[in-house]
Amino acid sequence: MTDPDVAATDHPNAVYLSGTPDDGYEATVALTAGGGYVADIIAIANLPADYDYNQIVTWQGLCDSVALHAATMPACLPGSAETDKAARNAFVMYGDIRKELKKEETNALSFVLQRLVARIDITNEAYAAGTILDNAATGPENSFFLTSARLLHAQPTAFVVPKPDMTPEVVTTSDWAPITGIGTEILYGKPTTKDIATDPTQEPEAVSVTTADDAKAATLQYAWHTLYTYPNSDTEHAPTALEIKGTFRGTEITRQIPFVDKEGNAFPVEGNHRYLVRIVKAPGQTDIAFNIAVSEWDAVDTVNVKPDQTEVPEIANIDGNGTPNLISDVAKAYDVYYTQDGKITFEATCPFAPGVRVKYYDSHTDSWTTKGDWLKVEQVGNTEIVTKADHSYRNSFQVTFNKFDGGVTRKAMLLVHNGGSEVECDTILVRHVVTYPGTDLEAVEYKGQFWAPVNVGGSTDLTTVDKITEDTADDAVLGYLYQWGRNVPFYCATSPATVKYTKVADYPIYTEACSNTGTYQNKLILSAGFIDYTWHKDYRPTAAAGISPELSISDDAWPRKNQPCPVGWRVPTPVDWDGVVAEINENKEYQKNGKWVSKQNDKFVLPAVGKISGIDATSKDRGKNCYYWTSDLKESGRSTAFYVTDYFASTTSALDGNVYAYPIRCIQEQLPTL
């Protein structure tokens, strides 16, 4: 349409726009409703040609409409043959005015259009002259060479009509491609010689660089007019941030720069604003720091912020085959028996991508040193961006080490440190022990087998304990108690939480309860009171639910994955206990002073822990009787237990049923090869 009169006749109430970008535009409209009222008039520019205008036929539709979802950083080039985006980015723009329209008069209007996008510029002032990609790892020691930048939690869409403090409720994206072009997107530069009146933004001047000698004329790197995002008002769950990568002091580093104010509070990203990120050397030149300037598109008003380089990483989800060390001063300490290969995995989260250093204990000098190689640390997978207001990185690590021939316990410290400062760290102690895992006590040799010196959960040398009574409540002496087949500890000093059912059909299946989640998590499952006294309904072949596929009628029926014994150790079988019963009955030396002590090896001590009732969860017979589980399961659905009282000893089917909680004394799976 080229004739405004025809446009007014054929398209009443439509706007006819004429003019050029350089000279400005004139809008003509024929109003069928006449004038004499105050109108809200808006102008929207640069919508893409395929935009669906049907959604804005009403005022409410216009207010609620959004721009097209941006699969890549927002930029469009309607009505132009220009394809060089660096030369011309025609972003969607919006302007409005409220004006009284008078009848039979020409109503002059003037709009100030604003871009819907925000722009993020980067100036790297931690760069040192002469640094290029080829020598970044070996060039000036304190030069930071920027190689990549990308937006995190960028908002991929926006309201065409901006709404104060509100953006569309869509999932933010961290998938837009980073800028990586050295010399094209990330330029070499130097401070501008123009004054502020001539150039309010003070954009650096480009320096053409091909060789390291060319780069001697550059004093900074900068990436301007390359990163854009739509406004983002979500400062709680997914505030926008910037990720940069580069080489510093010979090491590839990654930093996440949150958009926060000087108090550390995340601020929203606003349209038509420019965010200037200045990268500078941190005090002491041991790292880089940042400040962010927030401004209108063509002005600068600096707000200085700095990420926290002192935050200690948060360690979580520690797993593997290590046994928690119960006597260590280090909160996170794990033991693996020396006959076994070790594996420990964990996650670490920090504003700077966390790393791990290793120090080994030198028993000759009683000191920690970096000299050692028996432990291997690997990062598993890629660094994960944590979606929360403080913008953190999460790394997953795997630690492995091989079994050895014995001798002296090996110890290593995993220093899980802040990526911005190796001083700020949390510690995991790893011990490859010749002692019983979790203690500094040697295994007890008895009749050709090695037994644990304490019950599972115990750590006290039982040869130092004079007497155990019904009032003894020290878990380090007594250890923990377990329902047969479950790896869920219960304690003598505290009454357990419970869950109870009135009929067998309501019981959980074995695998469900062993997952220790939901209804059964850390709870003693009480018996409904029927004759077999079990805690799961698939407990024997003749049960209505049959027997769990994870169980078998055998001497070693307790599944290894559900045993509380350390790797390399197991729950004893009835045959293992038979030798103990034989000694007791032969010598007529039963429980005394709340414990049984072997005549053949006085380091083999069994405390009379008693039991926890599977009927009412009360503690019974402490200081009187020894009850210990075996690993077998019989056709009846019951398991064998070892008993010793003050007048007899036996291995027989547990009279209480598998629903009661008994202690466990582990036995070594095999003799170590020395």
Side-chain angles (χ1 to χ4, degrees):
M1 186 68 65
T2 58
D3 188 331
D5 294 331
V6 175
T9 301
D10 295 345
H11 303 279
N13 297 321
V15 177
Y16 176 80
L17 193 67
S18 61
T20 65
D22 293 333
D23 299 331
Y25 295 92
E26 180 179 338
T28 303
V29 61
L31 297 176
T32 59
Y37 56 87
V38 176
D40 288 307
I41 306 169
I42 68 169
I44 301 172
N46 301 328
L47 283 174
D50 59 353
Y51 185 78
D52 181 11
Y53 288 89
N54 292 323
Q55 63 181 317
I56 58 174
V57 295
T58 66
W59 176 254
Q60 190 61 47
L62 176 62
C63 291
D64 292 339
S65 66
V66 297
L68 292 177
H69 191 280
T72 58
M73 276 189 292
C76 57
L77 303 166
S80 171
E82 179 60 70
T83 59
D84 183 2
K85 292 184 180 182
R88 180 177 185 273
N89 280 327
F91 297 108
V92 178
M93 304 180 77
Y94 169 85
D96 61 30
I97 188 173
R98 173 166 288 190
K99 186 175 179 64
E100 182 181 0
L101 299 180
K102 298 180 180 179
K103 294 180 180 181
E104 301 177 357
E105 288 187 15
T106 299
N107 297 273
L109 307 175
S110 178
F111 289 97
V112 176
L113 296 181
Q114 296 185 342
R115 304 163 186 83
L116 294 186
V117 298
R119 172 177 134 199
I120 292 86
D121 292 340
I122 304 172
T123 300
N124 175 23
E125 298 175 18
Y127 171 86
T131 309
I132 61 174
L133 185 61
D134 291 341
N135 69 5
T138 58
E141 180 181 2
N142 293 315
S143 176
F144 172 67
F145 189 79
L146 179 67
T147 58
S148 171
R150 67 169 177 147
L151 291 169
L152 306 176
H153 308 312
Q155 176 64 263
T157 188
F159 290 113
V160 170
V161 178
K163 299 183 179 183
D165 303 321
M166 183 181 297
T167 52
E169 294 184 0
V170 298
V171 177
T172 58
T173 181
S174 298
D175 295 332
W176 288 347
I179 58 171
T180 57
I182 306 299
T184 55
E185 296 172 309
I186 303 173
L187 305 176
Y188 299 90
K190 60 184 179 180
T192 181
T193 57
K194 299 176 183 178
D195 58 32
I196 293 180
T198 305
D199 182 6
T201 64
Q202 294 289 282
E203 181 173 351
E205 295 180 9
V207 174
S208 179
V209 171
T210 303
T211 67
D213 286 339
D214 297 336
K216 291 178 181 178
T219 59
L220 54 83
Q221 290 176 288
Y222 69 107
W224 288 35
H225 311 285
T226 55
L227 293 170
Y228 302 93
T229 179
Y230 283 125
N232 183 8
S233 63
D234 186 351
T235 59
E236 182 177 358
H237 302 100
T240 300
L242 178 70
E243 180 187 78
I244 62 171
K245 295 183 179 181
T247 302
F248 183 65
R249 299 171 69 91
T251 302
E252 294 294 324
I253 66 172
T254 300
R255 297 289 183 265
Q256 192 177 100
I257 304 173
F259 282 37
V260 296
D261 59 25
K262 59 186 178 182
E263 279 79 32
N265 301 313
F267 54 72
V269 174
E270 299 183 35
N272 207 57
H273 279 63
R274 183 171 69 97
Y275 297 81
L276 175 60
V277 179
R278 295 177 59 243
I279 304 172
V280 297
K281 291 185 178 71
Q285 296 189 339
T286 59
D287 200 25
I288 56 175
F290 326 99
N291 61 50
I292 299 177
V294 184
S295 66
E296 300 296 332
W297 200 272
D298 297 319
V300 174
D301 180 19
T302 300
V303 178
N304 291 321
V305 299
K306 187 180 295 183
D308 186 0
Q309 296 172 217
T310 63
E311 184 172 329
V312 174
E314 177 183 335
I315 299 175
N317 297 327
I318 301 177
D319 202 357
N321 65 352
T323 298
N325 186 298
L326 303 174
I327 60 173
S328 173
D329 293 332
V330 179
K332 303 176 183 68
Y334 297 87
D335 290 357
V336 175
Y337 200 52
Y338 73 99
T339 62
Q340 306 296 313
D341 294 335
K343 179 180 178 180
I344 294 174
T345 60
F346 61 93
E347 295 175 348
T349 305
C350 192
F352 292 89
V356 178
R357 294 182 293 123
V358 181
K359 285 194 173 184
Y360 299 90
Y361 179 70
D362 186 337
S363 59
H364 299 291
T365 61
D366 191 25
S367 62
W368 295 89
T369 175
T370 57
K371 295 180 181 179
D373 60 2
W374 59 268
L375 186 146
K376 181 180 180 180
V377 180
E378 299 173 287
Q379 181 175 332
V380 180
N382 297 322
T383 300
E384 179 183 352
I385 300 165
V386 181
T387 306
K388 61 181 184 180
D390 60 358
H391 292 288
S392 295
Y393 289 99
R394 178 185 295 132
N395 282 340
S396 298
F397 296 97
Q398 175 177 282
V399 181
T400 55
F401 42 100
N402 297 326
K403 60 188 176 183
F404 67 109
D405 292 335
V408 179
T409 291
R410 305 190 295 189
K411 293 186 283 187
M413 284 280 194
L414 305 179
L415 304 177
V416 186
H417 62 83
N418 184 311
S421 171
E422 292 190 351
V423 175
E424 312 303 332
C425 61
D426 197 357
T427 301
I428 299 176
L429 173 63
V430 178
R431 304 198 317 166
H432 212 180
V433 297
V434 297
T435 56
Y436 179 66
T439 76
D440 283 334
L441 304 175
E442 294 183 353
V444 176
E445 186 173 6
Y446 180 79
K447 293 189 175 181
Q449 292 177 295
F450 284 91
W451 290 74
V454 291
N455 294 345
V456 173
S459 59
T460 297
D461 183 352
L462 295 174
T463 64
T464 66
V465 178
D466 293 330
K467 189 175 184 179
I468 295 171
T469 70
E470 61 182 355
D471 296 323
T472 303
D474 187 350
D475 291 328
V477 172
L478 304 175
Y480 308 146
L481 295 87
Y482 296 82
Q483 291 182 298
W484 188 95
R486 294 182 76 192
N487 187 4
V488 180
F490 300 101
Y491 311 101
C492 292
T494 56
S495 298
T498 63
V499 58
K500 185 171 184 176
Y501 301 92
T502 58
K503 54 185 179 180
V504 180
D506 293 336
Y507 270 43
I509 61 173
Y510 178 75
T511 55
E512 182 182 5
C514 285
S515 68
N516 200 32
T517 58
T519 304
Y520 321 104
Q521 186 172 10
N522 298 326
K523 291 182 179 178
L524 189 76
I525 302 174
L526 298 181
S527 171
F530 62 98
I531 190 169
D532 287 324
Y533 293 113
T534 185
W535 55 266
H536 59 101
K537 58 186 174 184
D538 49 348
Y539 67 104
R540 67 179 183 181
T542 57
I547 186 171
S548 170
E550 293 196 358
L551 299 176
S552 62
I553 306 303
S554 65
D555 279 352
D556 57 352
W558 193 325
R560 186 63 186 86
K561 67 178 181 179
N562 295 331
Q563 290 189 20
C565 293
V567 174
W569 299 75
R570 60 174 173 80
V571 177
T573 65
V575 174
D576 295 325
W577 281 111
D578 283 345
V580 180
V581 172
E583 180 194 337
I584 295 173
N585 289 333
E586 178 181 349
N587 296 327
K588 308 299 182 184
E589 293 284 348
Y590 303 105
Q591 177 276 120
K592 184 178 181 181
N593 292 324
K595 58 183 180 177
W596 173 79
V597 181
S598 170
K599 289 288 187 181
Q600 294 188 22
N601 186 342
D602 60 8
K603 293 183 178 180
F604 193 12
V605 180
L606 299 176
V609 178
K611 57 190 177 183
I612 296 178
S613 169
I615 305 299
D616 58 14
T618 57
S619 179
K620 299 180 180 295
D621 297 341
R622 189 183 311 164
K624 297 179 180 179
N625 297 333
C626 300
Y627 306 94
Y628 286 86
W629 280 126
T630 76
S631 59
D632 83 334
L633 183 65
K634 300 183 179 301
E635 291 279 354
S636 64
R638 296 192 179 209
S639 297
T640 298
F642 163 78
Y643 299 91
V644 58
T645 69
D646 55 4
Y647 62 91
F648 87 99
S650 175
T651 49
T652 184
S653 293
L655 301 177
D656 302 312
N658 293 8
V659 73
Y660 271 60
Y662 291 170
I664 293 173
R665 179 62 64 92
C666 301
I667 192 170
Q668 190 180 315
E669 287 186 320
Q670 59 184 11
L671 288 174
T673 302
L674 298 176

